[in-house]
Amino acid sequence: MNRKTRAILSLAVMLSLSTAAPVWAADVSPAPQVQQQEPEFVTTADQAIRDIRTVGFVDTDGSKLKAIVLAYDRPIPAAAVDASTFAIEDYGMTLREQDLTQGTSPGALKRVYVNDVPDTDAAGDKASGSYVILEVNTDYQTGRFPRSYAITMYAGVTQQKAIWTTEGIILPSDQAVTNYTKETYVGYNPQTGKSRPPESYNYAKEGAYQIKGIEEYQLHTIENGTAFHATHCFDEANGKYWDFDLPYALYVPADYSPQKKYGLVLHIHDAGSMSSDPRLTLTESQAAANYASASFQVLAKKNGLDGVIVVCPAIAEFYPMDAANPHYNLRNWTLSCAEPAIWELMDAITQQYAIDPDRIYGSGQSMGGMTVMAMAAQRDNYFAALLPMSCKWGNNFNKEYPFNGTSYYSMPADGKLVWQKDSDGRPVDYRNWFYMVSDDNILYLNTEQENTEYRVLYDDLAGAQVPRRDLVLDDKTTASKRDASIRRLVSEPNETGIYQAVLTGNVSHMSVWFYGHGTPACYDWMLKQTRQTEMARPKLPLNRPFALADSQKKTADHIYSVDRQDPSKVVYYPTGKRGAGTEGYNSGVTALGSAASLSPGWMPADPAPKAK
């Protein structure tokens, strides 16, 4: 370095320090140090920062940034940095107060320390290290999950004060170092059949972040050639059969042995995370991370299992079936070929691993919950327990009837994928959904007045009441309080095996699975269930034709919808006649590709709905 350059840099250091003094150990004064002795080396943050990465985890409301890791080209003294040294940007800081259901200051810089490895450290007491760790506030909860885990993992950092090291001074910079790129997302609106307006997001670059809690899942993808190849899968939307590759994530306990017995959990994501990337279903809620956690595996062992295997299929919104169908729509899972593909995947896993057939569980949220519930009717007492959250509970309807010009076709009960007989060997019709699942072990979580149809039908037709308990959510809500409510609920006498927890207060559609999977008592209940209890429990006598009662009940439970423009216009679930069944009863349906719908109890003679 020549004399002129050295003089300019020294002057720059002094000017920087005069406006932003660095943090030093208590017995060192930085200004005299500069005056008495010229630093051996002066550089800028742009040159000294080698890399930026982020560390996240899966919280109750999905993947969440925990820390930003700055890699410097030299050891940084712990005393040389603090929160005022840096300015940050991250996804949490973009959230508004109305986006939160709990907590404040999301993503705000909370703690700064150094480390000798690129990871967080609970103690944070290293004297020096080449990595500066910037931990952010994670004590908050949102009402919705963003489009991708990569959005939650983006970050940018600006070093805004000089840092003194034994190898010289690192000057601040006006430029942020980032780990992301800005990308455009174009979603699909299933009601209109058209694309949604473009949305712009910051996406963390692949390899520039890690999300803890899901590392032990094996990713079976189309890209790496390990996706499950499903064959001859029937699609109820058009009556065709398809062969295609189904991506999925699989967790197998590290101590797995074929000589032991394991439970199996099928967990299915919601429609907002439709993708061929299995990591989306691992990160949109805490479910997958919880099922693979040590605490869940220990709980399984306390309940007589040697552990639990977890499978999480990834359903893409559009799939390139063949040259004639490069964008085949799989959105309607309970109708599409994705559902029989999941059955084929389940059969393959139960054949490959030592699975206890009495301990297979179904878990899903929103459309994923609808899917596991539809599957429960197709194989009587296949699942030992179901944990559906924030989903439409029933799906009875006449599939021969054309909606908006589109005909649905009933999936064939072939005795293999869809069973033709119940657990007692008697012929059954899986489309009489309310009858088929009336003996199942189900813990159903939903928001207030969201789909009470099954409660209405069971009470009106068979006089069976499903135990229900409200979970009031506010800023004082804790997991222990929710646990206590769930334990009280599932301890109530119950002739059906079905329980309903209703979340009220500051909640949204997604809040149900955020809080539900953040309530360990739900898992405690689930792992205590076996299919033997279902097989020993009689179904409700609903295997007979539906008939209307003489008068319509107009209680709160019977409300299906209220016109927003005219609250006096109320549509009710039809009141069934005591002693009748649910054969021929039609749940409310929405026509494919439109917002047109038929209200509950419609008859095949009703006029076809028109698209709006």
Side-chain angles (χ1 to χ4, degrees):
M1 181 183 295
N2 61 41
R3 184 176 300 175
K4 181 178 180 181
T5 302
R6 191 184 300 273
I8 291 173
L9 286 173
S10 295
L11 178 60
V13 171
M14 295 180 67
L15 289 173
S16 170
L17 295 177
S18 68
T19 58
V23 179
W24 265 86
D27 60 345
V28 178
S29 177
Q33 178 79 7
V34 173
Q35 294 170 357
Q36 294 171 9
Q37 170 180 323
E38 183 181 322
E40 292 184 5
F41 183 71
V42 180
T43 189
T44 65
D46 298 331
Q47 298 169 318
I49 298 175
R50 295 186 292 107
D51 190 24
I52 176 174
R53 296 175 183 269
T54 54
V55 178
F57 68 108
V58 185
D59 205 350
T60 51
D61 50 351
S63 58
K64 186 174 289 182
L65 180 68
K66 181 178 182 180
I68 307 168
V69 179
L70 291 180
Y72 278 85
D73 63 358
R74 71 198 68 188
I76 305 296
V81 292
D82 67 6
S84 68
T85 310
F86 305 96
I88 69 168
E89 57 171 320
D90 59 38
Y91 171 73
M93 296 175 71
T94 68
L95 297 172
R96 304 161 299 172
E97 185 176 350
Q98 56 263 43
D99 296 325
L100 305 179
T101 57
Q102 281 191 342
T104 58
S105 304
L109 185 56
K110 188 176 180 181
R111 183 179 177 220
V112 177
Y113 55 92
V114 299
N115 205 354
D116 50 11
V117 293
D119 203 351
T120 56
D121 180 10
D125 57 359
K126 298 290 190 304
S128 69
S130 297
Y131 300 96
V132 175
I133 314 299
L134 297 88
E135 290 193 9
V136 302
N137 178 37
T138 62
D139 189 17
Y140 66 91
Q141 183 155 303
T142 62
R144 64 183 300 274
F145 180 72
R147 298 291 181 189
S148 169
Y149 53 86
I151 296 173
T152 67
M153 291 296 106
Y154 91 80
V157 178
T158 303
Q159 181 189 313
Q160 59 184 4
K161 287 187 177 181
I163 298 176
W164 290 63
T165 76
T166 56
E167 297 180 15
I169 300 173
I170 304 173
L171 295 178
S173 173
D174 293 331
Q175 285 291 112
V177 56
T178 66
N179 74 333
Y180 64 85
T181 58
K182 191 174 290 291
E183 299 180 24
T184 299
Y185 172 86
V186 179
Y188 170 76
N189 187 333
Q191 294 185 331
T192 64
K194 299 179 181 179
S195 297
R196 297 184 189 273
E199 303 171 27
S200 182
Y201 298 99
N202 293 334
Y203 284 78
K205 299 173 185 176
E206 189 66 33
Y209 60 90
Q210 71 171 122
I211 302 175
K212 297 185 176 182
I214 58 173
E215 305 97 323
E216 295 184 53
Y217 274 93
Q218 307 163 19
L219 300 181
H220 296 265
T221 68
I222 295 171
E223 291 75 15
N224 66 21
T226 61
F228 177 76
H229 186 63
T231 60
H232 203 60
C233 295
F234 187 77
D235 196 311
E236 293 197 356
N238 54 28
K240 295 182 179 180
Y241 288 87
W242 299 96
D243 297 351
F244 65 103
D245 294 326
L246 177 67
Y248 66 101
L250 182 69
Y251 168 79
V252 179
D255 60 353
Y256 171 80
S257 168
Q259 280 70 50
K260 298 179 180 180
K261 281 292 184 181
Y262 296 83
L264 176 63
V265 172
L266 166 67
H267 178 70
I268 307 180
H269 60 85
D270 76 305
S273 292
M274 296 190 75
S275 168
S276 60
D277 180 1
R279 288 178 296 180
L280 274 178
T281 191
L282 301 182
T283 55
E284 67 164 356
S285 78
Q286 208 172 35
N290 284 348
Y291 293 142
S293 68
S295 59
F296 186 84
Q297 297 296 319
V298 168
L299 184 61
K301 292 176 180 178
K302 287 181 179 179
N303 282 281
L305 291 166
D306 292 304
V308 174
I309 292 171
V310 189
V311 58
C312 305
I315 315 298
E317 190 151 40
F318 296 98
Y319 194 88
M321 288 295 186
D322 53 30
N325 297 274
H327 301 289
Y328 194 80
N329 188 356
L330 296 180
R331 174 170 284 271
N332 296 279
W333 298 353
T334 56
L335 295 170
S336 83
C337 53
E339 196 237 41
I342 295 173
W343 273 133
E344 291 185 10
L345 172 62
M346 292 291 287
D347 289 343
I349 290 173
T350 54
Q351 290 172 14
Q352 180 178 357
Y353 294 97
I355 304 296
D356 183 345
D358 287 335
R359 306 292 292 277
I360 300 174
Y361 305 98
S363 165
Q365 50 217 35
S366 195
M367 194 171 283
M370 292 169 60
T371 304
V372 295
M373 298 292 267
M375 293 173 71
Q378 292 177 348
R379 293 189 179 183
D380 188 41
N381 297 151
Y382 175 89
F383 294 104
L386 297 164
L387 192 60
M389 300 186 185
S390 203
C391 66
K392 182 177 174 62
W393 207 78
N395 66 345
N396 275 39
F397 68 88
N398 187 319
K399 293 175 182 176
E400 285 77 27
Y401 189 72
F403 298 102
N404 197 36
T406 300
S407 294
Y408 295 79
Y409 300 79
S410 177
M411 184 183 298
D414 58 2
K416 182 179 178 183
L417 286 187
V418 178
W419 294 349
Q420 296 169 318
K421 298 180 180 180
D422 65 13
S423 55
D424 295 317
R426 296 170 300 196
V428 290
D429 179 5
Y430 77 90
R431 292 188 300 172
N432 188 358
W433 193 90
F434 296 103
Y435 166 70
M436 293 298 294
V437 302
S438 63
D439 62 339
D440 286 2
N441 299 314
I442 302 173
L443 178 55
Y444 173 52
L445 284 76
N446 66 302
T447 52
E448 195 170 18
Q449 288 204 339
E450 181 180 47
N451 191 32
T452 59
E453 184 176 36
Y454 75 103
R455 295 175 54 85
V456 166
L457 289 169
Y458 285 177
D459 189 9
D460 292 346
L461 298 172
Q465 295 186 346
V466 174
R468 164 182 167 160
R469 183 170 291 273
D470 290 347
L471 295 182
V472 181
L473 304 178
D474 54 29
D475 57 1
K476 298 181 178 60
T477 297
T478 62
S480 60
K481 289 181 180 179
R482 297 194 301 272
D483 278 345
S485 293
I486 292 296
R487 290 194 181 99
R488 286 194 295 269
L489 170 63
V490 298
S491 65
E492 294 180 22
N494 189 354
E495 62 181 291
T496 64
I498 302 166
Y499 297 91
Q500 181 186 20
V502 180
L503 283 74
T504 63
N506 187 21
V507 295
S508 66
H509 178 71
M510 290 186 180
S511 294
V512 175
W513 62 79
F514 291 167
Y515 285 106
H517 288 294
T519 306
C522 294
Y523 299 149
D524 189 37
W525 169 85
M526 183 170 74
L527 288 173
K528 282 182 168 60
Q529 311 308 311
T530 74
R531 66 189 295 263
Q532 296 299 328
T533 58
E534 298 175 341
M535 295 173 70
R537 184 185 299 123
K539 290 179 173 60
L540 295 179
L542 302 175
N543 53 339
R544 56 190 70 171
F546 176 77
L548 282 172
D550 294 333
S551 60
Q552 172 67 47
K553 291 182 181 179
K554 296 185 177 181
T555 62
D557 258 5
H558 280 76
I559 295 176
Y560 171 67
S561 66
V562 178
D563 192 304
R564 293 183 180 180
Q565 304 300 322
D566 184 357
S568 66
K569 295 180 179 179
V570 181
V571 177
Y572 294 95
Y573 291 111
T575 304
K577 184 177 182 179
R578 181 62 58 85
T582 48
E583 287 180 1
Y585 176 84
N586 289 316
S587 296
V589 292
T590 299
L592 281 177
S594 78
S597 64
L598 289 174
S599 58
W602 62 271
M603 301 299 290
D606 291 347
K610 296 180 180 179
K612 295 181 180 178

